[in-house]
Coordinates of all heavy atoms in Angstrom, one line a residue:
M24 N -75.1 -84.3 -82.5 CA -75.1 -85.6 -81.6 C -76.5 -86.1 -81.6 O -77.5 -85.3 -81.9 CB -74.7 -85.2 -80.2 CG -73.3 -84.8 -80.0 SD -72.9 -84.3 -78.3 CE -73.3 -82.6 -78.4
T25 N -76.6 -87.4 -81.4 CA -78.0 -88.0 -81.4 C -78.2 -88.7 -80.0 O -77.2 -89.2 -79.4 CB -78.1 -89.1 -82.4 OG1 -78.0 -88.5 -83.8 CG2 -79.5 -89.7 -82.4
K26 N -79.4 -88.5 -79.4 CA -79.7 -89.0 -78.1 C -81.0 -89.7 -78.2 O -82.0 -89.2 -78.8 CB -79.8 -87.8 -77.2 CG -79.9 -88.3 -75.7 CD -78.7 -88.8 -75.1 CE -78.8 -88.9 -73.6 NZ -77.7 -89.6 -73.0
A27 N -81.1 -90.8 -77.5 CA -82.4 -91.5 -77.3 C -82.8 -91.5 -75.8 O -82.0 -91.7 -74.9 CB -82.3 -93.0 -77.7
L28 N -84.0 -91.1 -75.6 CA -84.6 -90.9 -74.2 C -85.7 -91.8 -74.0 O -86.6 -91.9 -74.8 CB -85.0 -89.5 -73.9 CG -83.9 -88.4 -73.9 CD1 -84.5 -87.1 -73.9 CD2 -82.9 -88.6 -72.9
R29 N -85.8 -92.6 -72.9 CA -87.0 -93.3 -72.5 C -87.9 -92.3 -71.8 O -87.5 -91.7 -70.9 CB -86.7 -94.5 -71.6 CG -85.8 -95.5 -72.4 CD -85.8 -96.9 -71.9 NE -87.2 -97.4 -71.8 CZ -87.5 -98.4 -71.0 NH1 -86.7 -98.9 -70.1 NH2 -88.8 -98.8 -71.0
I30 N -89.1 -92.3 -72.3 CA -90.1 -91.3 -71.8 C -91.3 -92.0 -71.2 O -91.5 -93.3 -71.4 CB -90.6 -90.4 -72.8 CG1 -91.2 -91.1 -74.0 CG2 -89.4 -89.4 -73.2 CD1 -91.9 -90.1 -75.0
Q31 N -92.1 -91.3 -70.3 CA -93.3 -91.8 -69.6 C -94.5 -91.4 -70.4 O -94.5 -90.4 -71.2 CB -93.2 -91.3 -68.2 CG -92.1 -91.6 -67.4 CD -92.1 -91.0 -66.1 OE1 -92.9 -91.4 -65.2 NE2 -91.2 -90.0 -65.9
N32 N -95.6 -92.1 -70.2 CA -96.9 -91.7 -70.7 C -97.2 -91.9 -72.2 O -98.1 -91.5 -72.7 CB -97.3 -90.3 -70.3 CG -97.3 -90.0 -68.8 OD1 -97.4 -91.0 -68.0 ND2 -96.9 -88.8 -68.4
L33 N -96.2 -92.5 -72.9 CA -96.3 -92.8 -74.3 C -97.3 -93.8 -74.6 O -97.2 -94.9 -74.1 CB -95.0 -93.1 -74.9 CG -94.9 -93.3 -76.4 CD1 -95.3 -92.0 -77.2 CD2 -93.5 -93.7 -76.8
K34 N -98.3 -93.5 -75.3 CA -99.5 -94.5 -75.4 C -99.7 -95.0 -76.9 O -100.1 -96.2 -77.1 CB -100.8 -94.0 -74.9 CG -100.7 -93.7 -73.4 CD -102.0 -93.0 -73.0 CE -101.9 -91.5 -73.1 NZ -100.8 -90.8 -72.5
C35 N -99.6 -94.1 -77.9 CA -100.0 -94.5 -79.2 C -99.4 -93.7 -80.3 O -98.5 -92.8 -80.0 CB -101.5 -94.3 -79.2 SG -102.0 -92.6 -79.2
G36 N -99.8 -93.9 -81.5 CA -99.3 -93.1 -82.7 C -99.7 -91.6 -82.5 O -98.9 -90.8 -83.1
G37 N -100.8 -91.3 -81.9 CA -101.1 -89.9 -81.7 C -100.1 -89.2 -80.8 O -99.7 -88.1 -81.1
C38 N -99.7 -89.9 -79.8 CA -98.7 -89.3 -78.9 C -97.3 -89.1 -79.7 O -96.7 -88.0 -79.7 CB -98.3 -90.3 -77.8 SG -99.6 -90.6 -76.6
A39 N -96.9 -90.1 -80.5 CA -95.8 -90.0 -81.3 C -95.8 -88.9 -82.3 O -94.9 -88.1 -82.4 CB -95.5 -91.4 -82.0
N40 N -97.0 -88.8 -82.9 CA -97.1 -87.6 -83.9 C -96.9 -86.3 -83.2 O -96.3 -85.4 -83.8 CB -98.5 -87.7 -84.5 CG -98.7 -86.8 -85.7 OD1 -97.8 -86.6 -86.5 ND2 -99.8 -86.1 -85.7
T41 N -97.5 -86.1 -82.0 CA -97.4 -84.8 -81.3 C -96.0 -84.6 -81.0 O -95.4 -83.4 -81.1 CB -98.2 -84.8 -80.0 OG1 -99.6 -84.8 -80.4 CG2 -98.0 -83.6 -79.2
I42 N -95.3 -85.6 -80.5 CA -93.8 -85.4 -80.0 C -93.0 -85.1 -81.3 O -92.2 -84.2 -81.2 CB -93.4 -86.7 -79.4 CG1 -94.1 -86.9 -78.0 CG2 -91.8 -86.7 -79.2 CD1 -93.9 -88.3 -77.4
I43 N -93.2 -85.8 -82.4 CA -92.4 -85.5 -83.5 C -92.6 -84.1 -84.1 O -91.7 -83.4 -84.3 CB -92.6 -86.6 -84.6 CG1 -92.1 -87.9 -84.2 CG2 -92.0 -86.1 -85.9 CD1 -92.6 -89.1 -85.1
T44 N -93.9 -83.7 -84.1 CA -94.3 -82.4 -84.6 C -93.7 -81.3 -83.7 O -93.1 -80.3 -84.2 CB -95.8 -82.2 -84.7 OG1 -96.3 -83.3 -85.5 CG2 -96.2 -80.9 -85.2
Q45 N -93.9 -81.4 -82.4 CA -93.5 -80.4 -81.5 C -91.9 -80.3 -81.3 O -91.4 -79.1 -81.3 CB -94.1 -80.5 -80.1 CG -95.6 -80.4 -80.2 CD -96.0 -79.0 -80.6 OE1 -95.5 -77.9 -80.2 NE2 -96.9 -78.9 -81.6
L46 N -91.2 -81.4 -81.3 CA -89.8 -81.3 -81.1 C -89.1 -80.8 -82.4 O -88.1 -80.1 -82.4 CB -89.2 -82.7 -80.8 CG -89.4 -83.2 -79.4 CD1 -88.6 -84.5 -79.1 CD2 -89.0 -82.2 -78.3
S47 N -89.7 -81.2 -83.5 CA -89.1 -80.7 -84.9 C -89.3 -79.2 -85.0 O -88.5 -78.7 -85.8 CB -89.9 -81.4 -86.0 OG -89.6 -82.8 -85.9
K48 N -90.2 -78.6 -84.2 CA -90.2 -77.1 -84.3 C -89.1 -76.4 -83.5 O -88.9 -75.2 -83.8 CB -91.6 -76.6 -83.7 CG -92.8 -77.0 -84.5 CD -94.1 -76.6 -83.8 CE -95.3 -76.9 -84.7 NZ -96.6 -76.5 -84.0
L49 N -88.4 -77.1 -82.7 CA -87.4 -76.5 -81.8 C -86.2 -76.2 -82.7 O -85.8 -77.1 -83.5 CB -87.0 -77.4 -80.6 CG -88.1 -77.6 -79.6 CD1 -87.6 -78.6 -78.6 CD2 -88.6 -76.3 -79.0
N50 N -85.5 -75.1 -82.5 CA -84.3 -74.7 -83.2 C -83.2 -75.8 -82.8 O -83.0 -76.1 -81.6 CB -83.8 -73.3 -82.8 CG -84.7 -72.3 -83.5 OD1 -85.3 -72.5 -84.5 ND2 -84.8 -71.1 -82.8
G51 N -82.5 -76.2 -83.7 CA -81.4 -77.2 -83.5 C -81.7 -78.6 -83.3 O -80.9 -79.5 -83.0
I52 N -83.0 -79.0 -83.4 CA -83.4 -80.4 -83.1 C -83.9 -80.9 -84.5 O -84.7 -80.3 -85.2 CB -84.7 -80.4 -82.1 CG1 -84.3 -79.8 -80.8 CG2 -85.2 -81.8 -82.0 CD1 -83.2 -80.6 -80.1
S53 N -83.4 -82.1 -84.8 CA -83.8 -82.7 -86.1 C -83.8 -84.2 -85.9 O -83.5 -84.8 -84.9 CB -82.8 -82.3 -87.1 OG -81.6 -82.7 -86.8
D54 N -84.3 -84.9 -87.0 CA -84.3 -86.3 -87.1 C -85.0 -87.0 -85.9 O -84.6 -88.0 -85.3 CB -82.9 -86.9 -87.2 CG -82.1 -86.3 -88.4 OD1 -82.7 -86.2 -89.4 OD2 -80.9 -86.1 -88.2
V55 N -86.2 -86.4 -85.6 CA -87.0 -86.9 -84.4 C -87.7 -88.2 -84.8 O -88.3 -88.3 -85.8 CB -88.0 -85.8 -83.9 CG1 -88.8 -86.3 -82.7 CG2 -87.3 -84.6 -83.6
T56 N -87.5 -89.2 -84.0 CA -88.2 -90.5 -84.2 C -88.8 -90.9 -82.8 O -88.2 -90.7 -81.8 CB -87.3 -91.6 -84.8 OG1 -86.3 -91.9 -83.9 CG2 -86.9 -91.2 -86.2
V57 N -89.9 -91.7 -82.8 CA -90.5 -92.2 -81.6 C -90.7 -93.7 -81.8 O -91.3 -94.1 -82.9 CB -91.8 -91.5 -81.3 CG1 -92.5 -92.1 -80.1 CG2 -91.6 -90.0 -81.1
D58 N -90.4 -94.5 -80.8 CA -90.6 -95.9 -80.8 C -91.6 -96.3 -79.7 O -91.2 -96.3 -78.6 CB -89.3 -96.7 -80.7 CG -89.4 -98.2 -80.8 OD1 -90.6 -98.7 -80.5 OD2 -88.5 -98.9 -81.2
N59 N -92.8 -96.5 -80.1 CA -93.8 -96.8 -79.1 C -93.6 -98.1 -78.3 O -94.1 -98.2 -77.1 CB -95.2 -96.8 -79.8 CG -95.7 -95.5 -80.0 OD1 -95.1 -94.7 -80.8 ND2 -96.9 -95.1 -79.5
E60 N -92.9 -99.0 -78.9 CA -92.7 -100.3 -78.3 C -91.7 -100.2 -77.1 O -91.8 -100.9 -76.1 CB -92.2 -101.3 -79.3 CG -93.3 -101.8 -80.2 CD -92.9 -102.9 -81.1 OE1 -92.1 -103.7 -80.8 OE2 -93.6 -103.0 -82.2
T61 N -90.7 -99.3 -77.3 CA -89.7 -99.2 -76.2 C -89.8 -97.9 -75.4 O -89.0 -97.6 -74.6 CB -88.2 -99.2 -76.9 OG1 -88.1 -98.1 -77.8 CG2 -88.0 -100.5 -77.6
D62 N -90.8 -97.1 -75.8 CA -91.1 -95.8 -75.0 C -89.9 -94.9 -75.2 O -89.6 -94.1 -74.3 CB -91.4 -96.0 -73.6 CG -92.6 -96.7 -73.3 OD1 -93.5 -96.7 -74.3 OD2 -92.8 -97.3 -72.3
E63 N -89.3 -94.9 -76.4 CA -88.1 -94.0 -76.7 C -88.3 -93.0 -77.8 O -89.0 -93.3 -78.7 CB -86.8 -94.8 -77.1 CG -86.3 -95.7 -76.0 CD -85.0 -96.4 -76.4 OE1 -84.7 -96.6 -77.6 OE2 -84.3 -96.8 -75.5
V64 N -87.8 -91.8 -77.5 CA -87.7 -90.8 -78.5 C -86.3 -90.5 -78.8 O -85.5 -90.4 -77.9 CB -88.5 -89.5 -78.1 CG1 -88.0 -89.0 -76.8 CG2 -88.5 -88.4 -79.1
S65 N -85.9 -90.4 -80.0 CA -84.5 -90.0 -80.3 C -84.5 -88.9 -81.2 O -85.5 -88.6 -82.0 CB -83.7 -91.2 -80.9 OG -84.4 -91.6 -82.2
F66 N -83.5 -88.0 -81.1 CA -83.3 -86.8 -81.9 C -81.9 -86.4 -82.0 O -81.1 -86.8 -81.2 CB -84.2 -85.7 -81.4 CG -84.0 -85.4 -79.9 CD1 -83.0 -84.5 -79.5 CD2 -84.7 -86.1 -79.0 CE1 -82.8 -84.3 -78.2 CE2 -84.5 -85.8 -77.6 CZ -83.5 -84.9 -77.2
S67 N -81.6 -85.6 -83.0 CA -80.2 -85.1 -83.1 C -80.3 -83.6 -82.6 O -81.2 -82.9 -82.9 CB -79.8 -85.0 -84.6 OG -79.7 -86.4 -85.1
Y68 N -79.2 -83.2 -82.0 CA -79.0 -81.8 -81.6 C -77.6 -81.5 -81.6 O -76.7 -82.3 -81.7 CB -79.5 -81.7 -80.1 CG -78.8 -82.6 -79.1 CD1 -77.7 -82.0 -78.3 CD2 -79.0 -83.9 -79.0 CE1 -77.0 -82.7 -77.5 CE2 -78.3 -84.7 -78.1 CZ -77.3 -84.1 -77.3 OH -76.6 -84.9 -76.5
A69 N -77.3 -80.1 -81.6 CA -75.9 -79.7 -81.7 C -75.4 -79.3 -80.3 O -74.1 -79.5 -80.1 CB -75.8 -78.5 -82.7
T70 N -76.1 -78.7 -79.4 CA -75.6 -78.1 -78.2 C -76.4 -78.6 -77.0 O -77.5 -79.0 -77.1 CB -75.7 -76.6 -78.2 OG1 -77.0 -76.2 -78.2 CG2 -74.9 -76.0 -79.4
T71 N -75.8 -78.5 -75.8 CA -76.5 -78.9 -74.6 C -77.7 -78.1 -74.4 O -78.7 -78.7 -74.0 CB -75.5 -78.8 -73.4 OG1 -74.4 -79.7 -73.6 CG2 -76.2 -79.1 -72.1
P72 N -77.8 -76.7 -74.6 CA -79.0 -76.1 -74.4 C -80.2 -76.6 -75.3 O -81.3 -76.6 -74.9 CB -78.7 -74.6 -74.7 CG -77.2 -74.5 -74.4 CD -76.7 -75.9 -74.8
E73 N -79.8 -77.0 -76.5 CA -80.9 -77.5 -77.4 C -81.4 -78.9 -76.9 O -82.6 -79.1 -76.8 CB -80.3 -77.8 -78.8 CG -80.0 -76.4 -79.5 CD -79.2 -76.6 -80.7 OE1 -78.6 -77.7 -81.0 OE2 -79.0 -75.6 -81.5
F74 N -80.5 -79.7 -76.3 CA -80.9 -80.9 -75.7 C -81.8 -80.7 -74.5 O -82.8 -81.3 -74.4 CB -79.7 -81.7 -75.3 CG -80.0 -83.0 -74.5 CD1 -80.6 -84.1 -75.1 CD2 -79.8 -83.1 -73.1 CE1 -80.9 -85.2 -74.3 CE2 -80.0 -84.1 -72.4 CZ -80.6 -85.3 -73.0
E75 N -81.5 -79.7 -73.6 CA -82.2 -79.4 -72.5 C -83.6 -78.9 -72.8 O -84.6 -79.1 -72.2 CB -81.5 -78.5 -71.5 CG -80.3 -79.1 -70.9 CD -80.5 -80.2 -70.1 OE1 -81.6 -80.3 -69.4 OE2 -79.7 -81.2 -70.0
A76 N -83.7 -78.1 -73.9 CA -84.9 -77.4 -74.4 C -85.8 -78.6 -74.9 O -87.1 -78.6 -74.6 CB -84.6 -76.5 -75.6
A77 N -85.3 -79.6 -75.5 CA -86.1 -80.8 -76.0 C -86.6 -81.5 -74.8 O -87.8 -82.0 -74.8 CB -85.3 -81.7 -76.9
K78 N -85.8 -81.8 -73.8 CA -86.3 -82.5 -72.6 C -87.4 -81.7 -72.0 O -88.4 -82.3 -71.5 CB -85.1 -82.7 -71.6 CG -84.3 -83.9 -71.9 CD -83.2 -84.0 -70.8 CE -83.5 -84.0 -69.5 NZ -82.4 -84.3 -68.5
K79 N -87.3 -80.4 -71.9 CA -88.3 -79.5 -71.2 C -89.6 -79.6 -72.0 O -90.7 -79.7 -71.5 CB -87.8 -78.0 -71.1 CG -88.8 -77.2 -70.4 CD -88.4 -75.8 -70.2 CE -89.3 -74.9 -69.6 NZ -90.8 -75.2 -69.7
K80 N -89.4 -79.5 -73.4 CA -90.6 -79.6 -74.2 C -91.4 -81.0 -74.0 O -92.6 -81.0 -74.0 CB -90.2 -79.4 -75.7 CG -91.4 -79.3 -76.7 CD -92.2 -78.2 -76.3 CE -93.1 -77.7 -77.5 NZ -93.9 -76.6 -77.1
L81 N -90.6 -82.0 -74.0 CA -91.2 -83.4 -73.8 C -92.0 -83.3 -72.4 O -93.1 -83.8 -72.3 CB -90.2 -84.4 -73.7 CG -89.6 -84.9 -75.1 CD1 -88.4 -85.8 -74.8 CD2 -90.7 -85.6 -75.8
S82 N -91.4 -82.8 -71.4 CA -92.1 -82.7 -70.1 C -93.3 -81.9 -70.1 O -94.3 -82.2 -69.6 CB -91.1 -82.2 -69.0 OG -91.7 -82.2 -67.8
D83 N -93.2 -80.7 -70.8 CA -94.3 -79.8 -71.0 C -95.5 -80.4 -71.7 O -96.6 -80.0 -71.4 CB -93.9 -78.5 -71.7 CG -93.0 -77.6 -70.8 OD1 -92.9 -77.9 -69.6 OD2 -92.4 -76.7 -71.4
L84 N -95.2 -81.3 -72.7 CA -96.2 -82.0 -73.4 C -96.9 -83.1 -72.6 O -97.9 -83.7 -73.0 CB -95.6 -82.6 -74.7 CG -95.2 -81.5 -75.8 CD1 -94.5 -82.2 -76.8 CD2 -96.4 -80.8 -76.4
G85 N -96.3 -83.5 -71.4 CA -96.8 -84.6 -70.7 C -96.0 -85.9 -70.8 O -96.4 -86.9 -70.4
Y86 N -94.8 -85.8 -71.4 CA -94.0 -87.0 -71.5 C -92.6 -86.8 -70.9 O -91.6 -86.7 -71.6 CB -93.8 -87.3 -73.1 CG -95.1 -87.4 -73.8 CD1 -95.5 -86.3 -74.6 CD2 -95.8 -88.6 -73.7 CE1 -96.7 -86.4 -75.2 CE2 -97.1 -88.6 -74.4 CZ -97.5 -87.6 -75.1 OH -98.7 -87.6 -75.8
P87 N -92.5 -86.8 -69.6 CA -91.3 -86.6 -68.9 C -90.3 -87.8 -69.1 O -90.8 -88.9 -69.4 CB -91.6 -86.5 -67.4 CG -92.9 -87.2 -67.3 CD -93.6 -87.0 -68.6
V88 N -89.0 -87.6 -69.0 CA -88.1 -88.7 -69.2 C -88.2 -89.6 -68.0 O -88.6 -89.2 -66.9 CB -86.6 -88.0 -69.2 CG1 -85.6 -89.1 -69.1 CG2 -86.4 -87.2 -70.4
K89 N -88.1 -91.0 -68.3 CA -88.2 -92.0 -67.2 C -87.3 -91.6 -66.0 O -86.2 -91.1 -66.2 CB -87.7 -93.3 -67.7 CG -88.6 -93.9 -68.7 CD -89.5 -94.9 -68.1 CE -90.3 -95.6 -69.3 NZ -91.5 -96.2 -68.9
G90 N -87.8 -91.7 -64.8 CA -87.1 -91.3 -63.6 C -87.4 -89.9 -63.1 O -87.2 -89.6 -62.0
E91 N -88.0 -89.0 -64.0 CA -88.4 -87.8 -63.5 C -89.8 -87.8 -62.9 O -90.5 -88.8 -63.2 CB -88.4 -86.7 -64.7 CG -87.0 -86.5 -65.2 CD -87.0 -85.4 -66.3 OE1 -88.1 -84.9 -66.7 OE2 -85.9 -85.0 -66.8
T92 N -90.2 -86.8 -62.2 CA -91.5 -86.8 -61.6 C -92.6 -86.9 -62.7 O -92.5 -86.1 -63.6 CB -91.7 -85.5 -60.8 OG1 -90.7 -85.4 -59.9 CG2 -93.1 -85.5 -60.1
N93 N -93.5 -87.7 -62.5 CA -94.7 -87.9 -63.4 C -95.9 -87.6 -62.7 O -96.8 -88.5 -62.3 CB -94.6 -89.3 -63.9 CG -95.6 -89.6 -65.1 OD1 -96.1 -88.6 -65.6 ND2 -95.8 -90.8 -65.4
S94 N -96.2 -86.3 -62.4 CA -97.4 -85.9 -61.7 C -98.7 -86.1 -62.4 O -98.7 -86.3 -63.7 CB -97.2 -84.4 -61.3 OG -97.2 -83.7 -62.5
L95 N -99.8 -86.0 -61.8 CA -101.0 -86.2 -62.4 C -101.3 -85.1 -63.5 O -101.8 -85.5 -64.6 CB -102.2 -86.1 -61.3 CG -103.6 -86.3 -61.8 CD1 -103.7 -87.7 -62.5 CD2 -104.6 -86.2 -60.6
P96 N -100.9 -83.8 -63.3 CA -101.1 -82.9 -64.4 C -100.3 -83.3 -65.6 O -100.8 -83.1 -66.7 CB -100.6 -81.6 -63.8 CG -100.8 -81.7 -62.4 CD -100.5 -83.2 -62.0
K97 N -99.1 -83.8 -65.4 CA -98.3 -84.3 -66.7 C -99.0 -85.4 -67.4 O -99.1 -85.5 -68.5 CB -96.9 -84.7 -66.2 CG -96.1 -83.5 -65.9 CD -94.6 -83.8 -65.9 CE -93.9 -82.6 -65.3 NZ -93.2 -81.8 -66.1
K98 N -99.6 -86.4 -66.6 CA -100.3 -87.5 -67.1 C -101.5 -87.0 -67.9 O -101.7 -87.4 -69.0 CB -100.8 -88.5 -66.1 CG -99.6 -89.2 -65.5 CD -100.1 -90.1 -64.4 CE -98.9 -90.8 -63.6 NZ -99.3 -91.6 -62.6
A99 N -102.2 -86.0 -67.3 CA -103.4 -85.4 -68.1 C -102.9 -84.7 -69.3 O -103.6 -84.8 -70.4 CB -104.1 -84.4 -67.2
K100 N -101.8 -84.0 -69.3 CA -101.3 -83.3 -70.5 C -101.0 -84.3 -71.6 O -101.2 -84.0 -72.8 CB -100.0 -82.5 -70.2 CG -100.3 -81.2 -69.5 CD -99.0 -80.5 -69.2 CE -99.2 -79.2 -68.5 NZ -97.9 -78.5 -68.2
S101 N -100.5 -85.4 -71.2 CA -100.2 -86.5 -72.2 C -101.4 -86.9 -72.9 O -101.4 -87.2 -74.1 CB -99.4 -87.7 -71.6 OG -100.3 -88.5 -70.9
F102 N -102.6 -87.0 -72.2 CA -103.8 -87.4 -72.9 C -104.3 -86.3 -73.9 O -104.7 -86.6 -75.0 CB -104.9 -87.6 -71.9 CG -104.8 -89.0 -71.2 CD1 -104.3 -89.1 -70.0 CD2 -105.2 -90.1 -71.9 CE1 -104.1 -90.3 -69.3 CE2 -105.0 -91.4 -71.3 CZ -104.5 -91.4 -69.9
V103 N -104.1 -85.0 -73.5 CA -104.4 -83.9 -74.5 C -103.5 -84.0 -75.6 O -103.9 -83.8 -76.8 CB -104.3 -82.6 -73.7 CG1 -104.5 -81.4 -74.7 CG2 -105.3 -82.4 -72.6
S104 N -102.2 -84.2 -75.4 CA -101.2 -84.2 -76.5 C -101.6 -85.4 -77.4 O -101.5 -85.3 -78.7 CB -99.8 -84.4 -75.9 OG -99.4 -83.2 -75.3
C105 N -101.9 -86.5 -76.8 CA -102.3 -87.7 -77.6 C -103.5 -87.4 -78.5 O -103.5 -87.7 -79.7 CB -102.7 -88.8 -76.6 SG -103.3 -90.3 -77.4
A106 N -104.5 -86.8 -77.9 CA -105.7 -86.4 -78.7 C -105.4 -85.5 -79.9 O -105.9 -85.6 -81.0 CB -106.8 -85.8 -77.9
I107 N -104.6 -84.5 -79.6 CA -104.1 -83.5 -80.6 C -103.3 -84.3 -81.8 O -103.6 -84.0 -83.0 CB -103.3 -82.4 -80.1 CG1 -104.2 -81.5 -79.2 CG2 -102.6 -81.6 -81.2 CD1 -103.5 -80.4 -78.4
G108 N -102.5 -85.2 -81.4 CA -101.7 -86.0 -82.3 C -102.6 -86.8 -83.2 O -102.3 -87.0 -84.4
R109 N -103.7 -87.3 -82.7 CA -104.7 -88.2 -83.4 C -105.4 -87.3 -84.5 O -105.7 -87.8 -85.6 CB -105.6 -88.9 -82.6 CG -104.9 -90.0 -81.8 CD -106.0 -90.6 -80.9 NE -105.4 -91.6 -80.1 CZ -105.9 -92.7 -79.6 NH1 -107.2 -92.9 -79.9 NH2 -105.3 -93.6 -78.9
I110 N -105.8 -86.0 -84.0 CA -106.5 -85.2 -84.9 C -105.6 -84.7 -86.1 O -106.1 -84.7 -87.2 CB -107.1 -84.0 -84.1 CG1 -108.1 -84.5 -83.1 CG2 -107.6 -82.9 -85.1 CD1 -108.5 -83.5 -82.1
T111 N -104.4 -84.4 -85.8 CA -103.5 -83.7 -86.8 C -102.8 -84.8 -87.7 O -102.0 -84.4 -88.5 CB -102.5 -82.8 -86.2 OG1 -101.7 -83.5 -85.2 CG2 -103.2 -81.6 -85.5
K112 N -103.0 -86.1 -87.4 CA -102.3 -87.1 -88.1 C -102.6 -87.2 -89.5 O -103.6 -87.0 -90.0 CB -102.6 -88.5 -87.4 CG -101.5 -89.5 -87.6 CD -101.9 -90.6 -86.7 CE -100.6 -91.6 -86.7 NZ -100.9 -92.8 -85.9

């Protein structure tokens, strides 16, 4: 199955690079794409636990799904993820 999620704190290509790299490392997650203009990340998954793991990973990186709590620590994590994505690009 493929799912597109609108996420928070997405700022640039560095953010997108980090999201693609980190989600692609998860078992059962593939075809990860990020659209900075619509704040969407899409990916393919086979089972509900894999989907939930991807959502958790996004939140842990600082990019919670729209509508979820977007605390100051999550916003700060997104800046770190952004910087890492720019360095490894």
